[in-house]
Amino acid sequence: INIYIGRIPGPVPLSPSVQHTLALAPLSHVSPEFVKIFQEALHMTKKVVHTTSSSTAFILAGSGTFGWDQVGANVIEPGDRVLVIHTGYFGDGFKDCLETYGAKVDVVKSVLGGTVPISEVEKAIRKAGSKPYKLVTITHVDTSTGVLSDACSIAASVRRISPNTLVVLDAVCSLASEDVQMDAWGLDVVLSASQKGLGAPPGLSILVASQRTIKAFEDRIKRGVKSGSYYSSWEKWLPIMRAYNQNKPAYFGTPAVNLVRAYHASLLEITEGSISLPQRLALHIAASDLIKKAGEALGMVQVAHEPTGRAHGMTALYVPNIKGLSLTAADVLACAGKRGVLMAGGLVAEVKDKYIRVGHMGWSVVGEEGKDVRFVVKVLEEAVKEAIDIGRKKLPGVSARL
């Protein structure tokens, strides 16, 4: 039986075009053909985040976590204050990363499955007073909970109350499945990864930095404060990105040429394909609604409990809570696995055995007229019902409210 990994929140299935491109023989990273591909990938990345300003795109070998590391190494100086808006597991990760580089981090944390109220964010920013935060981080979609934060409103509050504070959006699980408007929302850094909504294989860290973020970094270098890392250093990578952006080869480390080509192929589909980016986002909303409604019909409750705070590229669902039946995430996942589908378990420690996560983004949503999403719904229905039946056989007499 094949395991279709796209039913987890990344890596997602690849389109035929992206698969074909990935299988091509490697190009020289300084060949005219590859340099042009890299240049176009940089330009299209900026289109996807909706920035037409003099921002800078970085496409580097690494995971989404490497985006955190770039922010820590190049934006943070020891003692800088940071506010992390926490809606799940990945807020903890960003906090740990920035503290590694000497940041003094405060956290405003949501209740499990909820968003952080804007009033709490504003309260924390005002409380900083004469020692303002260097930056505020937002996890747009926390993959552990499926919570979608209102990045637009949060960024507006930060800009209004503390205009010199940089706003960093972790869009690893949102870019190309949720609306991201870098310029319009006043975002200073948008970081993501190739393997989710962007529809490419894992292995590329995608980051776009605003002009004032780059200026802050360059001013730091002029003051003699080096980057906190070697491989993450923008002092090394900024000249490379600028060269490729001008269709010129440059070298610090060999780029992942096959991954960049595959990413380029996916970007062509996103920015110039028959399905426009607004249409793509609408399809993600429709797919999300279908899966969430199917889960609710099975007696599953969403981890993200605010209707406007739910992601459209993934869904986190508690397994049905049936009196007398100790159903776990592992039970449902095993039944889905029998049908050739791999869904994900929980990440939040205190409830990790009580919920599952289903990915629905990229090609699995926009390809083949949504066939994949309908298949996932069918498997989810069958898996939950089978898991309940197995449980009933162990505990005769238990009835399910379905």
Side-chain angles (χ1 to χ4, degrees):
I1 295 177
N2 291 324
I3 296 296
Y4 300 94
I5 63 170
R7 281 64 169 187
I8 65 175
V12 301
L14 306 178
S15 74
S17 174
V18 174
Q19 291 185 55
H20 171 75
T21 304
L22 181 63
L24 296 174
L27 292 170
S28 164
H29 58 288
V30 295
S31 67
E33 183 181 358
F34 179 75
V35 172
K36 183 65 173 175
I37 288 170
F38 206 123
Q39 180 194 43
E40 292 176 354
L42 292 169
H43 292 176
M44 288 188 286
T45 297
K46 292 176 67 171
K47 283 185 181 180
V48 175
V49 302
H50 293 94
T51 177
T52 56
S53 68
S54 53
S55 55
T56 300
F58 295 81
I59 302 173
L60 303 177
S63 69
T65 306
F66 187 50
W68 295 347
D69 205 65
Q70 290 181 67
V71 173
N74 299 291
V75 181
I76 293 299
E77 298 178 39
D80 282 344
R81 300 190 67 198
V82 174
L83 181 66
V84 168
I85 299 173
H86 183 296
T87 53
Y89 177 92
F90 292 93
D92 289 326
F94 210 162
K95 172 181 179 290
D96 289 346
C97 177
L98 298 180
E99 287 179 337
T100 298
Y101 289 97
K104 297 186 180 301
V105 180
D106 293 328
V107 177
V108 282
K109 187 174 183 178
S110 69
V111 298
L112 177 60
T115 60
V116 176
I118 297 293
S119 59
E120 292 298 311
V121 177
E122 293 182 349
K123 180 181 177 182
I125 296 171
R126 289 193 175 99
K127 188 177 178 181
S130 60
K131 296 181 179 180
Y133 291 110
K134 177 72 167 289
L135 56 90
V136 172
T137 74
I138 309 164
T139 307
H140 199 194
V141 170
D142 196 295
T143 320
S144 70
T145 57
V147 169
L148 170 68
S149 291
D150 185 352
C152 176
S153 296
I154 295 170
S157 292
V158 176
R159 289 283 192 172
R160 185 180 72 254
I161 300 168
S162 184
N164 292 325
T165 297
L166 301 175
V167 181
V168 177
L169 184 70
D170 178 341
V172 169
C173 196
S174 68
L175 195 55
S177 62
E178 308 285 352
D179 190 27
V180 176
Q181 301 279 341
M182 184 171 184
D183 288 355
W185 297 354
L187 303 173
D188 291 290
V189 175
V190 175
L191 64 92
S192 193
S194 53
Q195 78 275 11
K196 295 182 185 282
L198 289 170
L204 293 179
S205 169
I206 312 299
L207 184 147
V208 184
S210 69
Q211 183 178 19
R212 74 170 186 161
T213 304
I214 296 299
K215 184 179 184 303
F217 170 72
E218 291 176 331
D219 288 346
R220 160 190 181 151
I221 297 302
K222 289 176 183 176
R223 289 187 281 109
V225 182
K226 293 285 189 179
S227 170
S229 171
Y230 182 76
Y231 182 67
S232 304
S233 173
W234 287 351
E235 196 172 4
K236 300 289 194 303
W237 286 117
L238 192 54
I240 309 302
M241 297 302 115
R242 285 173 171 167
Y244 278 118
N245 190 56
Q246 296 171 3
N247 200 26
K248 297 176 182 177
Y251 179 77
F252 166 56
T254 304
V257 291
N258 287 57
L259 295 181
V260 172
R261 292 180 81 182
Y263 175 54
H264 175 271
S266 187
L267 287 172
L268 284 174
E269 294 178 345
I270 293 169
T271 62
E272 301 178 16
S274 59
I275 299 173
S276 68
L277 182 52
Q279 290 171 326
R280 176 177 287 256
L281 298 182
L283 288 171
H284 279 80
I285 292 172
S288 174
D289 289 346
L290 187 64
I291 289 176
K292 288 172 170 60
K293 287 176 182 177
E296 290 170 353
L298 292 165
M300 307 179 87
V301 175
Q302 293 185 56
V303 175
H305 52 74
E306 298 174 20
T308 59
R310 292 167 174 164
H312 300 105
M314 63 159 293
T315 299
L317 296 163
Y318 288 110
V319 299
N321 183 14
I322 301 171
K323 186 176 181 180
L325 188 64
S326 300
L327 199 65
T328 68
D331 297 327
V332 175
L333 295 176
C335 291
K338 292 178 185 177
R339 292 160 173 82
V341 174
L342 179 65
M343 297 176 183
L347 278 177
V348 179
E350 57 265 38
V351 292
K352 68 182 181 69
D353 296 325
K354 297 180 180 180
Y355 75 101
I356 67 170
R357 296 175 298 132
V358 184
H360 37 86
M361 62 186 92
W363 181 253
S364 66
V365 170
V366 303
E368 300 179 300
E369 299 181 339
K371 181 176 72 174
D372 185 271
V373 175
R374 294 190 296 274
F375 176 63
V376 169
V377 168
K378 178 177 179 290
V379 169
L380 180 64
E381 291 172 343
E382 293 176 357
V384 171
K385 290 174 181 177
E386 183 186 4
I388 291 171
D389 287 343
I390 291 171
R392 280 174 173 167
K393 290 175 182 177
K394 295 178 180 178
L395 297 169
V398 176
S399 62
R401 296 178 180 178
L402 293 177

